[in-house]
Amino acid sequence: MSSKSMMKWPKQITSCFVERLICSEKDLDKAISIFDAATAEYSNGFRHDHSTFGLMIRRLLSANKFVPAEDMLVRMKQDKCDISEDIFLSIYRAYARVHKPFEVLRVFGKMKEYECEPTAKSYVTVFSILVDESQLKMAFKFYRYMREKGIPASVASLNVLIKALCKSSGTLDSAFRIFHEMPKRGHTPDSYTYGTLINGLCRAGRTLEAKELLIDMEANGCSPSVITYSCLIHGFCQSNKLEDAMELLKDMKSKGIEPNVYTYSSLIDGLCKNGHSLQAMELLERMICKRLVPNSITYSSLIYGFCKEGKLHEAIQILDRMKLQDLKPDAGLYSKIINGFCEISKFQEAANFLDEMVLSGTTPNRVTWGLHVRVHNRVIQGLCSEGHPNQAFQLYLGLRTRGISVETNTFGSLIRCFCKRGDLHKAGRIMDEMVIDGCIPDVETWNAMLDGFWDRKKVREAAELLLAKLMDEF
């Protein structure tokens, strides 16, 4: 049943009335039905205008329904409805939200088809999206196109250009040349300009220059934001200048600028990397008191720091807090804790965390895969050395099931362990699989197998009888 038959429409329908209906309907499909029903059969003479079309397009974009949204543009053109630049700006931002910069360029190129002339706002928006998505080659090309089209330079466009130059390696000095030229051409650098350059300097490890620029920024009447301070603090922490970072924290607080999660996380990471995990823990408690919610990066830094200092109990406590907050530890974090247990020869505890990782569905990515393989093999070898062959064998079977490579040393450890226990059936099976995998047993492994069979009474008696016969023949 259509929306037209389900509801009673007034004789006189207005755009405001249709907008209210669409806004009040949470279900997108029903909202579309209302939109279509408003003009059904044109019995009431209502035609959609720029405001109702614009609202429907924004609703579709918010749900990432890009094709239907662009179809609405076609309907607007067919209905000879004026299409404003604001609608295109909404489409650009929606595509940018899902990281599709080339779709932004495509739609920008179609503006004139809809008799909509792009202004400087559209040009700068598209340019900014290309830079944010790190499509720097295309961004510089688009900037040249802007200038060819006569789009005048503005603080907004120059800020985006400076950001692009700060992101591109080796062009930071070019960004500063534009910065110094701005006042000569009637453009006053703003807080965003300074913040972008400070971030660029910090990324390049030029933290002292960044701090000097902060002083210059304030002297020129531009107030630094929490983002500016956080970038500087992160830069100092990356350069192992913790005292300078802590001084900046005090400085921003004295100016009434409250640190955010990124600020605290940067400081916590810096402290943990330099062996000050307990001090980092104090910062964690302070940020929680301020009702700031720690993120995965915050917890990861603490876990790495505690593991580095051999404080596994504290690391596990942080891991538990992380899971209580519904944040899923990655394979790298689990590997850090597992390796920590291996360092102190607690291989059963390490194996338990391996099981937990597998059961939670945590899988390594391309970066952590090699670490993942080494950790598994290390635990199996450790379990063998500590006399836990059955647990080692179960873990070994899990490796083969999940396609994780088994190292030559791991095969050898298992074979020697089972031979020592007299379980030659498992030892032989592992030896077969070792050879199939292309691993060559070493002398120690072969000797373990031979010793294992030699200890069997019948094999020993047969060998002794054969030796006696050979002696008789001579």
Side-chain angles (χ1 to χ4, degrees):
M1 189 180 290
S2 70
S3 294
K4 187 170 180 70
S5 58
M6 288 174 65
M7 63 176 293
K8 187 176 181 181
W9 291 84
K11 290 182 179 179
Q12 188 66 34
I13 299 176
T14 64
S15 294
C16 289
F17 177 73
V18 175
E19 285 179 50
R20 282 199 302 272
L21 287 176
I22 293 171
C23 288
S24 62
E25 181 52 69
K26 293 181 180 179
D27 187 287
L28 180 60
D29 291 332
K30 290 180 180 177
I32 294 170
S33 297
I34 290 169
F35 180 86
D36 292 334
T39 55
E41 300 174 11
Y42 303 110
S43 57
N44 45 37
F46 175 77
R47 301 295 295 272
H48 287 295
D49 59 13
H50 173 269
S51 61
T52 52
F53 268 117
L55 174 62
M56 202 64 246
I57 288 171
R58 287 191 295 275
R59 283 288 303 269
L60 289 164
L61 292 173
S62 65
N64 293 339
K65 303 286 186 182
F66 296 106
V67 173
E70 290 193 44
D71 288 342
M72 283 286 175
L73 278 178
V74 176
R75 286 177 63 175
M76 286 183 79
K77 184 179 179 181
Q78 290 170 347
D79 288 1
K80 297 181 180 179
C81 183
D82 290 336
I83 304 174
S84 71
E85 186 179 35
D86 287 342
I87 290 177
F88 281 96
L89 290 170
S90 297
I91 296 173
Y92 301 153
R93 289 164 188 149
Y95 273 123
R97 189 181 65 247
V98 295
H99 309 292
K100 292 186 176 181
F102 294 107
E103 290 299 308
V104 174
L105 281 174
R106 179 184 60 78
V107 175
F108 175 80
K110 293 174 68 175
M111 283 184 76
K112 290 184 180 179
E113 291 180 23
Y114 293 92
E115 299 178 0
C116 183
E117 192 68 30
T119 67
K121 192 173 184 179
S122 280
Y123 280 99
V124 174
T125 300
V126 174
F127 181 36
S128 179
I129 289 167
L130 290 171
V131 172
D132 287 339
E133 292 297 316
S134 296
Q135 296 291 337
L136 300 180
K137 188 176 180 180
M138 185 63 71
F140 289 129
K141 184 178 179 182
F142 188 82
Y143 183 76
R144 290 193 294 272
Y145 174 71
M146 283 172 60
R147 300 312 304 270
E148 288 169 7
K149 287 292 181 180
I151 304 299
S154 62
V155 173
S157 64
L158 291 173
N159 279 346
V160 178
L161 181 59
I162 287 170
K163 185 176 183 179
L165 292 167
C166 286
K167 289 182 86 170
S168 182
S169 59
T171 54
L172 187 56
D173 291 337
S174 299
F176 271 94
R177 280 196 292 274
I178 293 169
F179 168 69
H180 293 306
E181 285 288 324
M182 284 176 75
K184 298 176 186 177
R185 302 193 179 187
H187 303 298
T188 305
D190 57 16
S191 296
Y192 188 88
T193 319
Y194 281 102
T196 302
L197 287 165
I198 287 170
N199 186 33
L201 287 168
C202 289
R203 283 160 60 100
R206 294 158 63 176
T207 49
L208 293 178
E209 292 175 67
K211 192 172 182 180
E212 288 173 7
L213 191 58
L214 177 71
I215 296 167
D216 183 53
M217 174 184 186
E218 293 178 296
N220 284 295
C222 292
S223 301
S225 65
V226 64
I227 297 172
T228 309
Y229 269 107
S230 297
C231 287
L232 259 173
I233 287 170
H234 181 70
F236 277 120
C237 287
Q238 291 294 101
S239 303
N240 295 322
K241 297 174 181 175
L242 292 178
E243 288 184 12
D244 291 306
M246 297 303 287
E247 279 298 317
L248 279 171
L249 181 67
K250 291 178 184 176
D251 186 43
M252 66 186 292
K253 284 184 174 181
S254 68
K255 292 171 182 172
I257 303 171
E258 282 296 320
N260 59 17
V261 173
Y262 181 73
T263 319
Y264 279 113
S265 295
S266 296
L267 284 164
I268 287 169
D269 185 60
L271 288 165
C272 287
K273 283 178 178 175
N274 286 275
H276 304 294
S277 296
L278 292 178
Q279 193 179 346
M281 193 67 188
E282 290 173 10
L283 270 184
L284 175 73
E285 300 303 341
R286 195 188 304 178
M287 69 181 286
I288 290 172
C289 286
K290 292 182 176 293
R291 297 186 179 181
L292 293 172
V293 181
N295 56 27
S296 294
I297 296 171
T298 319
Y299 286 125
S300 298
S301 298
L302 282 162
I303 291 170
Y304 274 76
F306 281 128
C307 287
K308 185 180 178 182
E309 295 173 34
K311 297 172 181 174
L312 284 177
H313 178 70
E314 289 84 349
I316 292 166
Q317 284 183 327
I318 296 296
L319 188 75
D320 290 338
R321 286 175 71 161
M322 187 178 183
K323 289 184 285 188
L324 283 171
Q325 202 177 302
D326 287 333
L327 294 172
K328 189 176 181 181
D330 62 17
L333 277 184
Y334 273 113
S335 296
K336 199 69 181 176
I337 289 175
I338 292 162
N339 269 322
F341 278 116
C342 290
E343 290 294 328
I344 57 175
S345 298
K346 290 191 174 181
F347 296 104
Q348 284 190 300
E349 287 85 347
N352 291 337
F353 273 96
L354 270 178
D355 290 338
E356 181 184 310
M357 180 178 69
V358 173
L359 289 170
S360 67
T362 303
T363 54
N365 53 33
R366 283 182 294 178
V367 176
T368 58
W369 180 257
L371 176 66
H372 190 67
V373 172
R374 288 194 298 274
V375 164
H376 275 79
N377 281 275
R378 186 180 185 185
V379 174
I380 293 173
Q381 291 172 35
L383 288 169
C384 290
S385 66
E386 293 294 309
H388 304 290
N390 292 332
Q391 195 172 0
F393 185 68
Q394 290 303 316
L395 196 54
Y396 163 77
L397 292 177
L399 260 68
R400 298 196 70 82
T401 303
R402 299 199 304 279
I404 300 172
S405 302
V406 182
E407 296 173 356
T408 303
N409 289 339
T410 306
F411 279 119
S413 295
L414 285 162
I415 291 167
R416 289 191 296 273
C417 188
F418 281 112
C419 286
K420 190 175 180 181
R421 289 173 63 90
D423 193 343
L424 298 179
H425 175 73
K426 278 184 182 173
R429 169 187 169 175
I430 295 166
M431 176 73 86
D432 288 341
E433 290 171 354
M434 180 181 187
V435 174
I436 289 168
D437 281 8
C439 295
I440 300 172
D442 58 16
V443 173
E444 191 179 354
T445 305
W446 279 117
N447 284 339
M449 284 293 294
L450 291 171
D451 287 345
F453 280 107
W454 182 258
D455 285 341
R456 288 195 170 186
K457 188 176 179 182
K458 289 183 180 180
V459 174
R460 187 169 63 249
E461 288 177 353
E464 289 172 351
L465 182 61
L466 178 62
L467 181 61
K469 284 183 177 179
L470 289 171
M471 292 296 291
D472 289 342
E473 288 178 6
F474 287 101

